[in-house]
Amino acid sequence: MTPQRLDIFADYSQFYLCDPEHVEDWSALWNDQSMADQLIAMTTTVVFGTNRNFTVPVDLYRHDTRTDVDDLAAAADHAVLASIVCRSGKLKLAGCTDYLPDAHGFDAVPGAYGVFYAGHKLATVNGLDGEDRYDVHLWPVSDMIPMRVLRRHPPR
């Protein structure tokens, strides 16, 4: 499957995926654990941590069925599994300070989706510079997937 490459401004070292009609507030949820996990998973919003506070490349993959997350995790420096609910029929991927109506959006059948998040080349980050890149995989699921770290990169 060919990904959709996006360049997202990861201000505050984060970006997010959400149902734009049901965005949840995650501001109080960043703590030492969520920073180490590089992910906050709520019902209709998933927030991804990055190793840079700058524009980062994000490859978005949309699958019709579950993808092999074990193989994907083995190829990543950091990998997390979670889920999201789409109620409105749309999802948006945005930097946390982006104007949401202008952010990258796409149609999605209402329901639950598995979310696999991976960071690659994280050790190359030096301040605002680096060759790091991030992948987000989505696929429909019948039940919500509890958030869990599959592979952990050393904390920043």
Side-chain angles (χ1 to χ4, degrees):
M1 164 167 280
T2 302
Q4 183 171 16
R5 169 62 58 96
L6 304 166
D7 290 318
I8 296 182
F9 182 49
D11 202 8
Y12 299 100
S13 298
Q14 58 189 292
F15 66 97
Y16 67 107
L17 175 71
C18 71
D19 180 324
E21 294 183 18
H22 303 278
V23 181
E24 298 162 291
D25 180 7
W26 66 86
S27 58
L29 300 177
W30 281 120
N31 56 39
D32 291 342
Q33 186 63 56
S34 58
M35 298 253 318
D37 294 346
Q38 292 191 345
L39 191 127
I40 294 173
M42 296 171 286
T43 304
T44 59
T45 306
V46 176
V47 188
F48 310 103
T50 65
N51 280 35
R52 279 195 293 159
N53 180 31
F54 202 63
T55 301
V56 297
V58 177
D59 287 338
L60 175 62
Y61 297 82
R62 296 179 355 193
H63 306 275
D64 294 329
T65 59
R66 181 182 171 96
T67 188
D68 188 347
V69 296
D70 294 330
D71 284 349
L72 293 172
D77 293 333
H78 188 88
V80 187
L81 186 62
S83 56
I84 188 171
V85 171
C86 175
R87 294 181 178 142
S88 71
K90 298 219 178 279
L91 289 172
K92 291 264 187 167
L93 195 60
C96 72
T97 57
D98 286 347
Y99 180 57
L100 191 58
D102 292 342
H104 176 75
F106 54 94
D107 293 333
V109 174
Y113 288 85
V115 178
F116 174 82
Y117 175 61
H120 304 273
K121 296 187 177 184
L122 301 180
T124 68
V125 173
N126 183 9
L128 298 179
D129 297 318
E131 296 175 20
D132 53 325
R133 65 178 179 79
Y134 303 89
D135 297 338
V136 175
H137 292 258
L138 299 171
W139 65 94
V141 294
S142 55
D143 295 312
M144 295 296 284
I145 300 170
M147 193 280 289
R148 68 176 186 206
V149 176
L150 303 176
R151 185 175 180 104
R152 186 177 300 281
H153 187 263
R156 296 176 261 160

